[in-house]
């Protein structure tokens, strides 16, 4: 076996804590999903996290140098202090010095990052965006996260809080959002929103099949709503059209603002792509003149679904809107990449370009 340095990536979600050892080529050496109840509180989570990190570090230390620890957290963070400032999904973590705490306990360098930014970096490194330098990623999970990667680097803004694409407004009169605003895209395109819209349709008496499913399924979720949509249930299909409409509005804005070569949609709800993408793409085309001017003539799917540019004119560049490739591992892999970047570990192609 080839010797290789590695790093530890941590994905701290609102419900799950996942930790992985990843080598510098991007190979996941081992992945742990702890049964940690994030709702048992901050100190418990920190303890579990540190213990799992120690175990993985011990296990792979014979392999090479441990580059450090990258942690993706849901919420807005302050890069300079390594502080989690606010997290609607992690009550009790407000203004908590995550980086300092873990560095103190483990005596290892820690890089703190927003979870969706980590996912964007993961997709840029090894996923859908590995062939472009600039990409916007929207993550559809419990909430809606976002990350902007420019010239291969996460766009942090002034303090590290940039890229909160989930809180782009699509309806000023819409449902209240955890961020304090109303009608953010998170209120239409997250798993939580899909479930809420289903419950609303049921309460209005407009969705008999969804109502039956809710009574039968103890774990009624966005997945059940998606299955109903696939089976042709009209109210369920309408809900995913709402998802598509909200995402289309946001993507049209992003295309107009950034004019990037690629926009990636990831997270659990992105597996309902076939249910929301037609509406989404129609809205993007209608609302963004920049998109219409750069729409690909045809997108051919290559290996593992990666988009291949098929432009009619030589030199013509087009806007690709596509699904993420790394699934739920994007954030974990991106988090592990953080300390490698901090240590100046180059990608193989960067080394090639230099040679
Ligand atoms: Zn919001």
């Amino acid at each position: 076996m080839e010797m290789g340095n590695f790093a530890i990536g941590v994905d701290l979600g609102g419900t799950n804590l996942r930790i992985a050892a990843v080598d510098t080529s991007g190979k996941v050496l081992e992945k742990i999903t702890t049964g940690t109840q994030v709702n048992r509180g901050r100190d418990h989570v920190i303890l579990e996290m540190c213990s799992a990190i120690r175990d993985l570090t011990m296990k792979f230390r014979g392999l090479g140098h441990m580059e450090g620890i990258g942690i993706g957290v849901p919420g807005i963070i302050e890069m300079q202090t390594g502080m989690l400032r606010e997290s609607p999904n992690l009550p009790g973590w407000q203004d908590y010095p995550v980086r300092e705490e873990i560095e103190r306990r483990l005596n290892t360098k820690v890089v703190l990052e927003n979870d969706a930014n980590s996912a964007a970096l993961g997709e840029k490194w090894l996923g859908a965006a590995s062939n472009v330098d600039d990409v916007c990623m929207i993550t559809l999970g419990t909430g809606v996260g976002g990350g902007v990667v420019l010239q291969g680097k996460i766009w942090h803004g002034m303090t590290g809080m940039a890229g909160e694409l989930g809180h782009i407004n699509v309806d000023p009169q819409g449902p209240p959002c955890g961020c304090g605003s109303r009608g953010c895209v998170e209120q239409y395109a997250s798993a939580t929103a899909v479930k809420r819209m289903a419950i609303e349709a049921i309460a209005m008496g407009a969705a008999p099949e969804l109502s039956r499913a809710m009574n039968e399924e103890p774990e009624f979720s966005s997945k059940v709503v998606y299955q109903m949509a696939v089976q042709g249930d009209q109210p369920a299909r309408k809900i995913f059209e709402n998802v598509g409409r909200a995402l289309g509005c946001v993507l049209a804005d992003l295309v107009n603002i950034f004019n990037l070569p690629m926009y990636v949609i990831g997270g659990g709800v992105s597996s309902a792509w076939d249910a929301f993408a037609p509406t989404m793409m129609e809205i993007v085309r209608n609302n963004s003149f920049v998109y219409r001017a750069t729409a690909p003539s045809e997108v051919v799917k290559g290996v593992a679904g990666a988009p291949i540019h098929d432009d009619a004119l030589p030199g013509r560049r087009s806007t690709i809107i596509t699904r993420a490739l790394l699934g739920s591992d994007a954030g974990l892999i991106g988090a592990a990449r953080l300390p490698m970047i901090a240590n100046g570990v180059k990608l193989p192609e960067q080394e090639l370009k230099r040679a």
Side-chain angles (χ1 to χ4, degrees):
M1 198 168 90
E2 210 188 333
M3 299 279 278
N5 295 344
F6 67 98
I8 304 288
V10 179
D11 187 12
L12 172 58
T15 45
N16 262 315
L17 173 64
R18 302 192 315 138
I19 296 150
V22 180
D23 75 10
T24 51
S25 75
K27 190 175 155 213
V28 177
L29 303 169
E30 188 169 330
K31 189 164 56 176
I32 301 173
T33 303
T34 68
T36 302
Q37 301 283 304
V38 173
N39 60 18
R40 279 183 62 188
R42 190 184 74 197
D43 297 341
H44 177 77
V45 173
I46 293 281
L47 219 69
E48 286 268 315
M49 190 192 292
C50 288
S51 141
I53 291 170
R54 266 190 216 102
D55 290 350
L56 283 180
T57 307
M58 291 291 275
K59 186 159 177 187
F60 294 105
R61 68 179 173 184
L63 212 62
H65 173 64
M66 210 280 261
E67 300 277 351
I69 302 158
I71 305 178
V73 292
I76 49 174
I77 60 163
E78 212 166 65
M79 292 300 293
Q80 217 173 354
T81 54
M83 185 116 78
L84 180 55
R85 288 298 302 276
E86 202 177 317
S87 174
N89 293 320
L90 292 176
W93 290 67
Q94 199 164 346
D95 291 333
Y96 183 68
V98 183
R99 188 178 69 203
E100 204 177 271
E101 260 316 302
I102 304 202
E103 279 182 342
R104 190 178 60 78
R105 284 170 199 241
L106 296 177
N107 204 21
T108 315
K109 186 185 170 69
V110 170
V111 184
L112 194 69
E113 186 55 84
N114 168 268
D115 59 349
N117 282 355
S118 299
L121 190 66
E123 288 290 334
K124 162 71 194 98
W125 185 22
L126 301 165
S130 60
N131 291 323
V132 294
D133 288 328
D134 308 306
V135 63
C136 238
M137 181 170 176
I138 302 178
T139 312
L140 314 176
T142 311
V144 173
V148 182
V149 173
L150 300 177
Q151 300 294 301
K153 288 183 183 149
I154 294 168
W155 179 259
H156 282 123
M158 177 177 62
T159 55
M161 299 174 191
E164 284 296 332
L165 310 180
H167 301 283
I168 293 176
N169 198 277
V170 293
D171 178 6
Q173 253 91 66
C177 184
C179 73
S181 182
R182 284 184 166 271
C184 300
V185 63
E186 178 164 296
Q187 297 309 316
Y188 303 92
S190 62
T192 316
V194 168
K195 187 176 168 181
R196 189 204 72 237
M197 290 187 285
I199 290 169
E200 283 167 3
I202 291 165
M204 284 170 67
E209 292 299 319
L210 280 172
S211 174
R212 189 178 317 169
M214 189 168 72
N215 290 331
E216 282 170 7
E217 291 272 347
E219 299 251 326
F220 184 69
S221 67
S222 57
K223 251 182 217 159
V224 177
V225 183
Y226 172 60
Q227 282 156 8
M228 305 278 301
V230 170
Q231 287 162 22
D233 183 60
Q234 281 306 320
R237 291 177 65 151
K238 263 198 171 149
I239 287 166
F240 281 98
E241 282 168 19
N242 289 341
V243 173
R245 201 168 298 120
L247 283 174
C249 287
V250 165
L251 281 168
D253 287 348
L254 293 173
V255 171
N256 285 349
I257 294 166
F258 287 114
N259 185 210
L260 301 184
M262 187 176 281
Y263 302 81
V264 175
I265 315 276
V269 178
S270 71
S271 51
W273 178 266
D274 51 347
F276 67 75
T279 309
M280 178 182 81
M281 292 311 297
E282 192 190 318
I283 301 281
V284 173
R285 188 169 273 282
N286 284 338
N287 292 14
S288 170
F289 60 162
V290 175
Y291 182 77
R292 290 195 299 278
T294 58
S297 45
E298 197 184 342
V299 177
V300 187
K301 294 288 175 188
V303 178
I308 294 170
H309 299 248
D310 178 33
D311 300 327
L313 299 165
R316 164 112 199 262
R317 311 220 24 215
S318 50
T319 304
I320 306 293
I321 297 173
T322 189
R323 287 178 68 169
L325 289 183
L326 302 180
S328 57
D329 282 350
L332 207 51
I333 288 170
R337 177 78 184 132
L338 293 165
M340 298 180 198
I341 291 174
N343 296 346
V345 176
K346 300 283 178 211
L347 298 172
E349 65 264 33
Q350 284 174 325
E351 281 158 9
L352 282 175
K353 272 181 202 163
R354 283 181 162 209

